[in-house]
Amino acid sequence: MMNLRLLILNLSFVFLLISCSKKISDIDVNQSATIFKYGIASGDPTNTSIILWTGISENEKKLADEMKWEISRTADMNSIVQSGTATLTNQTASTFKAKATGLEPGTSYYYQFSTKKYKSKVGATSTMANNADQVRIAVVSCSNYEAGYFNAYESLADKSLDFVMHLGDYIYEYGPDTYGDKTLSRKHLPAKEILTLSDYRQRYAQYRMDPDLQLAHQKHPFIMIWDDHEISNDAYQTGAQNHQDDEGDYMTRAGIAKQVYHEWMPTDVTANDPLYRQFSIGKLVDVIMLDGRLEGRTQQLETAGPELANQSMLGAQQLDWFKNQLRSSTAKWKLIGNQVIFSPLNMARVRDQQFNMDAWDGYASERNDIISYIDENEISNVVIVTGDTHMSWAFEVPYKASAYKNNYRPVAIEIGTPSITSSNLNERSPSEEVIMGEKMLQVSNPHLKYVDGRNHGYTILTLKQETASVEWYYVSNLKTKTYVERLGKRLHFTLDGGNQLLK
Ligand SMILES: [Fe+2]
């Protein structure tokens, strides 16, 4: 009898173990990773709020009604300060956004999404500080999936940063083997140039399944703007170089591109709102993000001429807003998130065309108007950060480029960040030629203090009350996941008192 009771007890214990292990397997991490296959992201931090984002497998739409988010002071998610239900941002790919509010300034937080059965990974994020001693920002641009592995995104994931600023070309619109490395197995989906709503959604879905990009989003909040390739190459308000008549109505395509961008990005902006916006980091930094593509850009000219006077990069409304932001800012640093090179850049010695007409040189009247405005209003400590070129740059933005050698009068600093993967000059020409070209550019442009067209990576800006520095980090390889990172260059600058130096 005793033996039988013992046997029953033992059997009950074994049964209990089996049922326990079944419950654990129901929420196992691998299954959750399959459900939350697009990872998590956060962005557009203010001093009390942050946007949270996730995307789940299209096969799990039934979970859409129960998507919860929580934000905690600790990484173990045991110190929850806010929680809520996330909003579905589209029905096809099942992407979700939520705005966590009522947070403390200058504070690190952790966040997680969950359904009844599954939990996402835990993400790290932070709010903007009211009284920061320093701000550290990674600046990135130009991540072409077909050009290589996103090793630079992986590298910046473990850096100590306040946020990542993405200056655009987050995706590329081309079909497979059009622009990239044909020898790699990383081929664009859908297998065509993206034109329709489902095309754009599928392209973002592909990029957001990249583990290195997912890691960068998981570890840091992002502040983002688009450049041209989120729409189509050399985009402007009413057209693009890579949009032909037989590809449908351009404005419809641009509208789709905007809509899908906000579905997938942790932006606190809807597709009907302008993308240009401002963020404050106490008295230390005002961040001004510009949209030099869709808001008001006129079509690029073929060459420089009298028509330059009619060219607009920002459009009248955004230009007014920008000037007001500059003039009313009481922060030490005015940090401008910008797409294409702002400084005058004479390329006559290295290219057939003297100026890049897609850059601010093709919109020189408006650029010179902004320079005069900064000068006349004695707006100090303006730092412009720029993407687009797949090169590293440091300019002292001259009041007048032609007089710079004899009348040293910089009005701002401009920093250009290299590409995450998009092609370098030495992937198209021999390195020795590129090095010679870099030297020639500095000879022709004395306000150009650093240039490198041979490396991929990202830039870190560190802004303090008295000093600032910029560091370019380069990765050794894109073609495999085996690589090393190195500090390629560091420059310091101080802008107060008229002696605005990069050294
Ligand atoms: Fe690019």
Side-chain angles (χ1 to χ4, degrees):
M1 188 69 181
M2 278 299 281
N3 282 345
L4 186 60
R5 285 183 67 178
L6 265 176
L7 180 67
I8 290 168
L9 269 175
N10 280 340
L11 282 173
S12 307
F13 185 64
V14 169
F15 181 73
L16 189 68
L17 274 179
I18 290 168
S19 47
C20 275
S21 66
K22 187 165 186 297
K23 275 182 184 163
I24 289 165
S25 72
D26 278 351
I27 53 165
D28 91 28
V29 174
N30 290 335
Q31 184 64 5
S32 284
T34 307
I35 303 297
F36 287 92
K37 68 178 187 178
Y38 301 117
I40 51 175
S42 72
D44 279 13
T46 69
N47 55 6
T48 57
S49 69
I50 189 104
I51 299 294
L52 307 176
W53 181 99
T54 194
I56 58 169
S57 165
E58 292 81 345
N59 302 327
E60 300 294 339
K61 273 194 241 174
K62 60 183 184 299
L63 300 176
D65 294 335
E66 52 180 61
M67 184 61 69
K68 303 279 192 296
W69 59 270
E70 291 179 313
I71 191 160
S72 164
R73 291 294 303 271
T74 54
D76 59 11
M77 298 304 293
N78 280 334
S79 179
I80 305 295
V81 293
Q82 296 284 352
S83 61
T85 306
T87 307
L88 196 63
T89 59
N90 85 60
Q91 298 295 330
T92 306
S94 299
T95 48
F96 298 81
K97 270 187 185 179
K99 186 170 184 175
T101 58
L103 305 176
E104 295 293 320
T107 305
S108 295
Y109 287 101
Y110 300 87
Y111 64 96
Q112 187 171 36
F113 288 89
S114 62
T115 68
K116 285 181 185 136
K117 287 167 79 177
Y118 308 107
K119 281 183 186 295
S120 73
K121 289 180 179 172
V122 173
T125 192
S126 57
T127 48
M128 297 298 201
N130 284 339
N131 299 303
D133 294 332
Q134 70 163 36
V135 173
R136 229 167 110 80
I137 304 160
V139 185
V140 296
S141 72
C142 298
S143 38
N144 178 12
Y145 187 84
E146 290 205 355
Y149 289 93
F150 291 162
N151 293 336
Y153 279 142
E154 182 185 44
S155 274
L156 66 83
D158 68 0
K159 293 286 186 299
S160 172
L161 300 171
D162 290 280
F163 60 90
V164 175
M165 181 186 284
H166 202 300
L167 297 176
D169 290 358
Y170 183 98
I171 62 159
Y172 281 72
E173 81 279 18
Y174 300 114
D177 294 334
T178 309
Y179 180 63
D181 185 340
K182 291 181 185 175
T183 67
L184 294 177
S185 59
R186 292 166 68 86
K187 302 296 178 198
H188 269 150
L189 293 173
K192 63 194 268 290
E193 182 179 330
I194 51 173
L195 297 170
T196 67
L197 182 61
S198 66
D199 292 346
Y200 277 87
R201 282 175 170 168
Q202 192 181 353
R203 186 61 55 86
Y204 277 96
Q206 178 184 30
Y207 275 64
R208 285 295 263 278
M209 286 188 69
D210 182 276
D212 298 319
L213 180 54
Q214 282 197 5
L215 190 66
H217 277 298
Q218 187 191 342
K219 297 294 183 183
H220 304 293
F222 275 49
I223 293 177
M224 324 189 59
I225 46 173
W226 52 56
D227 195 14
D228 51 341
H229 290 287
E230 283 87 347
I231 305 100
S232 193
N233 185 50
D234 283 359
Y236 50 96
Q237 191 180 17
T238 58
Q241 175 275 331
N242 189 28
H243 182 84
Q244 278 65 52
D245 289 345
D246 63 359
E247 293 178 321
D249 174 52
Y250 174 78
M251 296 310 284
T252 304
R253 184 181 185 181
I256 288 168
K258 282 186 191 182
Q259 177 193 328
V260 178
Y261 184 83
H262 292 303
E263 286 174 358
W264 284 86
M265 299 302 175
T267 49
D268 193 11
V269 178
T270 72
N272 298 323
D273 296 327
L275 187 62
Y276 62 86
R277 60 209 192 280
Q278 182 265 5
F279 299 86
S280 290
I281 313 174
K283 292 286 178 200
L284 188 58
V285 188
D286 275 344
V287 180
I288 302 169
M289 302 296 286
L290 299 179
D291 174 6
R293 285 293 173 190
L294 292 185
E295 194 60 33
R297 184 195 267 250
T298 49
Q299 185 174 4
Q300 298 85 347
L301 297 173
E302 292 288 320
T303 53
E307 305 86 1
L308 274 177
N310 303 321
Q311 288 291 88
S312 178
M313 177 75 83
L314 302 179
Q317 204 174 337
Q318 183 179 192
L319 181 61
D320 265 1
W321 173 87
F322 179 38
K323 287 177 173 175
N324 284 333
Q325 291 295 321
L326 284 171
R327 196 180 51 201
S328 61
S329 173
T330 55
K332 165 84 181 193
W333 301 99
K334 274 64 76 176
L335 178 62
I336 317 302
N338 164 60
Q339 287 94 341
V340 294
I341 288 185
F342 184 82
S343 303
L345 182 65
N346 182 349
M347 299 185 294
R349 289 181 193 231
V350 295
R351 269 176 56 158
D352 295 339
Q353 205 178 22
Q354 185 173 8
F355 297 108
N356 176 0
M357 301 309 289
D358 183 58
W360 279 91
D361 274 328
Y363 301 79
S365 302
E366 189 168 300
R367 187 258 318 280
N368 296 343
D369 176 44
I370 293 166
I371 287 175
S372 297
Y373 186 84
I374 292 171
D375 187 68
E376 283 162 17
N377 289 280
E378 297 179 349
I379 299 165
S380 57
N381 304 314
V382 177
V383 180
I384 300 167
V385 284
T386 299
D388 180 61
T389 63
H390 317 166
M391 292 174 68
S392 307
W393 306 89
F395 295 96
E396 291 169 341
V397 182
Y399 178 73
K400 195 170 183 195
S402 57
Y404 195 73
K405 250 183 174 164
N406 303 318
N407 183 15
Y408 176 78
R409 195 177 168 189
V411 297
I413 294 292
E414 181 175 16
I415 302 299
T417 194
S419 69
I420 296 289
T421 58
S422 303
S423 66
N424 280 160
L425 293 176
N426 62 331
E427 288 155 8
R428 287 170 272 161
S429 310
S431 282
E432 308 73 53
E433 253 175 53
V434 178
I435 292 168
M436 183 56 71
E438 291 166 1
K439 287 180 180 155
M440 298 311 287
L441 280 173
Q442 287 202 268
V443 170
S444 306
N445 300 275
H447 54 286
L448 172 59
K449 302 300 171 183
Y450 174 61
V451 57
D452 178 288
R454 291 163 283 129
N455 284 289
H456 303 281
Y458 60 96
T459 305
I460 291 185
L461 268 180
T462 306
L463 301 173
K464 302 182 181 182
Q465 268 302 331
E466 300 307 323
T467 60
S469 66
V470 52
E471 295 164 319
W472 286 267
Y473 286 92
Y474 297 140
V475 292
S476 61
N477 179 32
L478 305 179
K479 308 307 176 189
T480 69
K481 285 299 300 166
T482 307
Y483 68 98
V484 291
E485 179 192 74
R486 69 186 172 92
L487 174 62
K489 179 77 174 175
R490 179 187 287 131
L491 289 171
H492 298 275
F493 52 94
T494 53
L495 294 185
D496 279 338
N499 284 320
Q500 311 182 2
L501 290 174
L502 276 165
K503 58 189 174 187

